[in-house]
Amino acid sequence: MNPETVTIIGTGYVGLTTAACLAHLGHRVHAMDIDTDKVDALNTGQVPIVEAGIDRLVAEGLSSGRLSFTADYAVVADATITMLCLPTPPKPDGGLDLAYVESAVKRIAPLLSADSIVVTKSTVPVGTHDLVRTWLDRSDAHAVSNPEFLREGTAVEDFLAPDRVVIGAANAAIGERVASLYSRLDTTIMHTDPTSAELIKYAANTFLATKLSFINEMSRLCDHLGADIDSVAAGLGSDHRIGSAFLRPGPGWGGSCFPKDTLGLCHLAQTTDHHLPVTEAAYASNQLQLDHVTCEVERISQRPLSEVSIAVWGATFKAETDDTRDSPALDIVARLTQQGARVTVYDPIAAPETIPARTTEDPYSACTGADILVVLTEWAEFGSVDLDKVAAQLGNPHVYDTRAVIDPAAAEAAGLVLHRLGKPAERRP
Ligand code: NAD
């Protein structure tokens, strides 16, 4: 492998993981961010995100001298490859805001050395590759699309052992240069054109979101028909054409990617007079799941929400991350509080200032006097709590576990009445 000198622009979940992993693979990496506090912290080894293995890789990169952090765009002059890992937040109309990407590309354009390759790792609407080339306005620089598929919580593992690496380049030799960054990984490198690369990322996220919407619909139907969602999911997932991944029901999907990418794809299609009825329905169905869980809390409590005191466990959009962006848990907390419920939230990691309700530092205090405990994130710690202590704290014994993390037998032994998504049979006398 020929080590490259790489600049990463943006040191969030994607950028920091990419920087630390590429340094681990032997490349020389300058990671650039406009957030000077973050840059200063990273240069002293303080990692601002919670991600398994990242602290170790950042420390390794700093001590080897292969990884450094800066707030100065000029660093791109030293690199052969510059990777854009910038936010692409949703706009009110459902489209994606490319302002971060545009402004960074215009800032680096005059600083790049000849023959530089600018790689877009951010998730961007199809067609952005051409915009990047326009913003670069340099005939001696190349643009490549290399969408990132890592998942928060397992970002390092996903980066170092990806299912595939997708490289969309108009020029095969330039695509090979980008592929060489990953040559030490045991994975499939898929070379394609930039437009297809951009669409693959959208298609992947939208398909996964659709699969979740489908199993969540089945859980609602199970609640209605008296079927058992675990049996349905097992029977469905054992068909190899379907597969068992992403067939676990929950309170609705969220996070910083699925909602914005699903809406972004619909918006993109609409701008070219196309409609994506399956994708649109997947999004609408997810809203129904959030409604369903909120209504179930009221039904189980047997009182109007304005009279109910609720303990919530979980604020992040899934376990093993500190990210609460577009979290279904917080969406449901907001719905409950808007209807007058008194909500107290416990989450093992989420920053209290991101939670729109009272918070506690341990799971038991959140339950004090509550009429119901609602579990909204699948933190493993929730499966090993002392349920006798929970039962002693709760005012009423109801637990609504939307993530199936609490052991039904242990709950029953503690005198709790456990309600789960798509498991109505458990509630029969
Ligand atoms: P993030 O919000 O965690 O990080 C973005 C970083 O960019 C921040 O540190 C911010 O300070 C920095 N930044 C903003 N403007 C800048 C500028 N002009 N110059 C330099 N730095 C700047 O974002 P993220 O979650 O890492 O996502 C980045 C992109 O990757 C998005 O397009 C996202 O959709 C996509 N993506 C995210 C994930 C994920 O799981 N988070 C997975 C795959 C793809």
Side-chain angles (χ1 to χ4, degrees), residues 260-319:
K260 99 173 153 71
D261 295 348
T262 308
L263 283 181
L265 189 63
C266 293
H267 180 267
L268 183 76
Q270 278 161 17
T271 57
T272 55
D273 268 345
H274 280 77
H275 282 278
L276 304 176
V278 172
T279 309
E280 286 167 14
Y283 186 85
S285 177
N286 194 49
Q287 301 304 306
L288 290 179
Q289 187 72 353
L290 297 163
D291 291 343
H292 176 71
V293 169
T294 309
C295 291
E296 282 290 276
V297 174
E298 184 164 38
R299 187 190 62 75
I300 294 164
S301 306
Q302 296 170 346
R303 265 181 293 158
L305 286 173
S306 57
E307 295 173 16
V308 180
S309 169
I310 302 169
V312 165
W313 284 356
T316 54
F317 79 98
K318 63 176 183 178

Side-chain angles (χ1 to χ4, degrees), residues 312-314 346-348 360-367 373-375 377-394 399 401 405-414 416 418:
V312 165
W313 284 356
Y346 166 72
D347 187 279
T360 60
E361 288 186 357
D362 74 279
Y364 306 105
S365 318
C367 297
L373 164 63
V374 184
V375 181
T377 308
E378 71 280 25
W379 286 104
E381 120 174 20
F382 299 158
S384 56
V385 287
D386 180 341
L387 291 177
D388 289 324
K389 224 166 139 184
V390 171
Q393 292 290 323
L394 285 170
V399 177
D401 180 8
V405 288
I406 291 180
D407 175 26
E412 190 179 358
L416 294 167
L418 185 65

Side-chain angles (χ1 to χ4, degrees), residues 8-16 32-36 38 49 51 73 84-89 96 99-101 103-105 107 121-124 147-153 155 201 205 256-257 260-261 317-318 323 325:
I8 307 294
I9 310 285
T11 61
Y13 290 89
V14 170
L16 185 57
M32 184 270 157
D33 203 291
I34 47 169
D35 184 336
T36 49
K38 192 186 264 193
I49 56 170
E51 206 47 76
Y73 284 109
L84 307 174
C85 302
L86 294 155
T88 49
L96 259 59
Y100 293 90
V101 178
S103 110
V105 171
R107 287 292 302 273
K121 281 195 99 51
S122 296
T123 304
V124 291
E148 182 50 60
F149 297 92
L150 63 77
R151 298 160 298 173
E152 285 177 26
K201 171 66 193 181
N205 271 4
S256 68
C257 293
K260 99 173 153 71
D261 295 348
F317 79 98
K318 63 176 183 178
D323 199 347
R325 289 179 289 180

Side-chain angles (χ1 to χ4, degrees), residues 26-83:
H27 302 290
R28 202 167 142 244
V29 182
H30 304 300
M32 184 270 157
D33 203 291
I34 47 169
D35 184 336
T36 49
D37 289 343
K38 192 186 264 193
V39 167
D40 291 345
L42 283 165
N43 270 323
T44 60
Q46 293 168 57
V47 175
I49 56 170
V50 175
E51 206 47 76
I54 194 87
D55 301 56
R56 188 178 56 78
L57 288 193
V58 169
E60 175 195 283
L62 289 171
S63 66
S64 69
R66 287 196 300 275
L67 178 61
S68 62
F69 298 92
T70 179
D72 189 353
Y73 284 109
V75 75
V76 297
D78 190 33
T80 46
I81 297 179
T82 293
M83 304 184 113

